[in-house]
Amino acid sequence: MKKNFFINTFNSITNNKTSDEKNTILVSILATSLLELGIICQIIQSKKITLSYVILFILVLVFSTSLNLSLKLYEFILLKRVEFILYIVKDGDTLFSLAEKYLPECNPWKTVELIKERNAISSQIYSGEKLFIPTKKL
């Protein structure tokens, strides 16, 4: 099954990156889009509209929006298609660390919420506790 072009591109750029680094990349794409918007606004104000600037702006905007939507869709589909494993909590485990370990493809905060819902817990976990942890189907 062929993955979406934007997901492949984003994955190649963010390979082995933390979620914070991935978010930084997404923010930089948004910042680039806003910069292009500022350039377009200046050009319109000076009434020296050139087609190349307009096309460049549209391309950057479409690319960054498509990339962001593709990532959100991928994560949504992944979260709907997970399978759960039974895990016994060890000393030092946190919901966040378990989320990053067993479902690193997703936003760990969303995975933590899924763990909480599935196990009917608030935010504390204890050593020896049994939890159902989502993991990607193979």
Side-chain angles (χ1 to χ4, degrees):
M1 186 167 131
K2 203 172 194 181
K3 283 187 175 179
N4 186 309
F5 169 76
F6 296 114
I7 292 174
N8 285 337
T9 304
F10 183 78
N11 286 340
S12 68
I13 293 170
T14 60
N15 191 22
N16 298 322
K17 302 276 191 265
T18 66
S19 60
D20 287 339
E21 291 169 325
K22 289 178 184 180
N23 288 337
T24 301
I25 292 168
L26 286 175
V27 167
S28 67
I29 291 170
L30 178 61
T32 302
S33 299
L34 291 174
L35 178 63
E36 290 296 326
L37 178 61
I39 291 170
I40 295 299
C41 289
Q42 280 185 331
I43 292 170
I44 290 172
Q45 284 178 345
S46 67
K47 297 182 182 165
K48 295 180 182 176
I49 301 173
T50 61
L51 188 58
S52 61
Y53 281 121
V54 173
I55 291 172
L56 179 62
F57 167 73
I58 291 170
L59 288 175
V60 168
L61 187 62
V62 166
F63 175 76
S64 61
T65 302
S66 299
L67 180 62
N68 195 11
L69 291 174
S70 296
L71 290 170
K72 288 189 184 299
L73 179 62
Y74 174 72
E75 187 174 80
F76 174 78
I77 291 170
L78 187 62
L79 283 173
K80 293 296 180 191
R81 299 182 63 203
V82 296
E83 68 182 12
F84 289 87
I85 60 168
L86 185 60
Y87 179 81
I88 300 173
V89 178
K90 299 176 183 130
D91 285 336
D93 283 341
T94 65
L95 290 172
F96 195 81
S97 67
L98 293 173
E100 286 186 318
K101 180 178 180 180
Y102 288 98
L103 202 59
E105 298 88 354
C106 285
N107 179 336
W109 297 108
K110 289 183 181 179
T111 307
V112 165
E113 288 304 314
L114 186 61
I115 295 170
K116 287 179 179 181
E117 288 174 18
R118 176 66 186 226
N119 295 283
I121 58 175
S122 58
S123 59
Q124 291 290 331
I125 58 174
Y126 303 97
S127 183
E129 186 175 3
K130 294 179 182 178
L131 297 176
F132 288 103
I133 304 293
T135 186
K136 186 176 179 180
K137 286 183 182 177
L138 298 177

